[in-house]
Amino acid sequence: MPLKFMMIGAVLSIIISLCFLLGSNTTLLSNASSNPPLQIQTDLKHSDAPFGTESKSYIVRLQRAVQFLQGFEQANEIQTIFQQWLIESRNDAIQYAAVFMQQYPQQSIALAVLEAADENEQVQIMNTLINESGLGIYTFDFAFRAWGESSPIHALNWVTDTIPMATQASANQFVFEGWIKSAPVDSIDYLSTFGPMDIKLPDLSAIFSIWASESSESAFQYLLHSQLQNNTELVSISLRHIAEQHPEQLRASLDLLTITPEQRISSLVPAIRVLFQHHPSDGLRLMHDLESPHYSIIYAGASAFAQHHLDNAKHWLRQTENPEHKAAIAAGIAETWVNQDMQGAVHWLLSQTNDIQQLVAADYTAAMSAHDPAFTAEHLYEQLPIEQSLELLRQSDTASAWAKQDPEGALNWIETLPPSSEKLALINQASTQAAQQDLAQLESWIDTLENEDEYQSAVFSTAYALASEQEYANAANWLYHKLPNNRNDERMNGILEVWLAHNTAQAKAWITAHDYLSEEERKQLVAKALNH
């Protein structure tokens, strides 16, 4: 008796399970066929050949694959289903493929669908997906990437023939992003045969970077054995990813390169930044191993080091004995430190011994001037000897940076300084910049200057600024009225010479209209300008 009940229970269990599966199938079928995206749903509803029972069974199987399978098993099942469906009911399969890819916008699913189709069927699927949905290529970037993995040349040809010119470049970018994953060597070889002026194709370095980010070693090996080793940007990308993924291999990789010293430096700088950011101990080891590392390499390393490990970077500076290396480290630290904590950086600088200050002060002043020129000028002037502070401000072009932000504030501060050659240099810097900001305001300030040397310095700096913008008439008129007693002045003649070379007729007319030169002096000036 118990055995009988057990058998009856087993049968009932099987019946219940079958009912559940049938119910599940009905639900899946309902979800799959009644909820495609709006535009394609309309197309299907008005089709002369609506999905029949056999096609609906494929839809159920596809929905199951999406819901119950993952990874390779899912992709393989989807590809198998579409391969079978395309044989049995090609039109239905192509029509639903577009629905399916829009319903599940994943590159792996799109790849499985396209891999099941031949080239003509792929075209029909993409036509349905792009043209009939009306949503544009950016919605279906995953499909272009999948097509790039599957049939890249066919995809590129289709883009050229089908996609509007305005969006061809973006579509091709997506195709190459897929191609670089499936066949990196072929994709880079193909792309490198075209010049950078072909605006329909993506940037070579952007596509190569995808490869290097996923496999820095294979991308680097490719460069070593191709003509692209002379492409500094690609070498730089490759080294940068090696520094991030395999820092211990960076030195050996450098030794394999057969490029010029200049290319080596420019290629290595981004890698050094990455190395000191993520693997500082490897960075310090590499600096020790490199023979006479270039200033820019040390600078880049110190800047990145200070960004994440400021105290360790300062310790590196203290431990370094080579003056040139020490200066590069200090400059790199300054670039980062000043942006993070300007007052802390200034306090550290002023607390150093004279020899350290002499070595690094110019770099710190330049970094501070780029960040806050007003603070830099006022603070250094208060804390350092006058001559030293003004020399540093001149070397760092601080007055120009300040005048760009606040011309009135910069000019008024400079006017308070005692007379000196450094003050004249600061006037030159500030006037040149202020002329581009507010000429009327600058003129009012110049007219208040009582020191003749300072007045002339400001006047000529303004004239040069105008001439540099090819405002030769304004520059000449400016000098003529601001310095009415200067005749046959060498600096004025220099501006007129340039004007004569650019527009002889206008310059001659101005010289004739203004009683500036004698007839003989005029002939000499014109002859000198035109002989250039």
Side-chain angles (χ1 to χ4, degrees), residues 179 183-194 204 222 226 228:
W179 193 4
V185 172
D186 291 342
S187 63
I188 295 298
D189 281 346
Y190 182 93
L191 193 53
S192 63
T193 60
F194 295 89
L204 175 62
Y222 169 83
S226 77
L228 291 176

Side-chain angles (χ1 to χ4, degrees), residues 334-362:
E335 178 193 46
T336 298
W337 196 0
V338 163
N339 288 327
Q340 293 178 346
D341 179 14
M342 189 176 209
Q343 293 191 10
V346 172
H347 177 76
W348 179 87
L349 173 63
L350 296 175
S351 68
Q352 300 305 299
T353 58
N354 287 336
D355 59 329
I356 295 293
Q357 279 192 13
Q358 292 293 327
L359 194 63
V360 305

Side-chain angles (χ1 to χ4, degrees), residues 98-152:
V99 175
F100 188 65
M101 288 165 65
Q102 188 175 350
Q103 192 175 17
Y104 300 103
Q106 300 170 27
Q107 187 171 333
S108 60
I109 289 179
L111 179 60
V113 174
L114 293 171
E115 285 283 323
D118 62 27
E119 291 185 348
N120 291 330
E121 291 164 347
Q122 289 175 351
V123 167
Q124 289 180 281
I125 292 170
M126 292 299 290
N127 280 337
T128 304
L129 185 67
I130 303 299
N131 298 332
E132 295 186 22
S133 71
L135 296 177
I137 68 166
Y138 299 101
T139 305
F140 305 113
D141 56 338
F142 66 94
F144 284 99
R145 293 190 183 98
W147 205 4
E149 282 193 70
S150 175
S151 305

Side-chain angles (χ1 to χ4, degrees), residues 152-301:
I153 300 299
H154 199 56
L156 292 173
N157 291 336
W158 182 84
V159 168
T160 302
D161 295 338
T162 310
I163 299 297
M165 180 69 74
T167 53
Q168 279 187 21
S170 296
N172 285 332
Q173 173 81 23
F174 299 145
V175 172
F176 271 96
E177 287 173 2
W179 193 4
I180 193 70
K181 291 180 178 294
S182 62
V185 172
D186 291 342
S187 63
I188 295 298
D189 281 346
Y190 182 93
L191 193 53
S192 63
T193 60
F194 295 89
M197 299 307 292
D198 192 332
I199 60 174
K200 295 184 297 181
L201 293 178
D203 180 59
L204 175 62
S205 60
I207 300 302
F208 181 82
S209 184
I210 297 173
W211 184 14
S213 67
E214 295 189 354
S215 180
S216 58
E217 293 176 280
S218 59
F220 182 74
Q221 287 299 319
Y222 169 83
L223 287 181
L224 288 179
H225 299 95
S226 77
Q227 295 180 343
L228 291 176
Q229 184 176 165
N230 289 320
N231 186 315
T232 304
E233 187 173 8
L234 298 189
V235 174
S236 177
I237 290 170
S238 185
L239 292 178
R240 176 162 51 84
H241 286 292
I242 288 174
E244 185 173 7
Q245 298 170 19
H246 308 285
E248 72 285 353
Q249 296 180 12
L250 184 58
R251 174 59 195 274
S253 300
L254 283 173
D255 293 339
L256 294 173
L257 291 169
T258 55
I259 54 179
T260 66
E262 292 75 17
Q263 289 176 314
R264 184 182 298 270
I265 292 167
S266 58
S267 299
L268 184 55
V269 164
I272 290 295
R273 287 189 178 276
V274 170
L275 197 61
F276 271 91
Q277 181 178 353
H278 298 289
H279 312 283
S281 59
D282 289 296
L284 291 172
R285 192 177 301 112
L286 179 63
M287 287 297 181
H288 181 268
D289 292 343
L290 289 175
E291 184 177 349
S292 301
H294 191 267
Y295 179 97
S296 59
I297 292 175
I298 301 174
Y299 178 95

Side-chain angles (χ1 to χ4, degrees), residues 381 385-400 413-415 417-430 453-454 457 461:
Y381 187 71
I386 292 177
E387 291 184 3
Q388 182 185 1
S389 65
L390 295 184
E391 182 182 6
L392 287 171
L393 297 176
R394 174 186 59 77
Q395 292 174 348
S396 304
D397 207 15
T398 306
S400 178
W413 182 79
I414 292 171
E415 191 175 5
L417 302 176
S420 69
S421 60
E422 298 293 353
K423 181 181 180 180
L424 293 179
L426 296 180
I427 288 174
N428 286 339
Q429 292 176 0
D453 290 338
E454 294 174 5
S457 179
S461 296

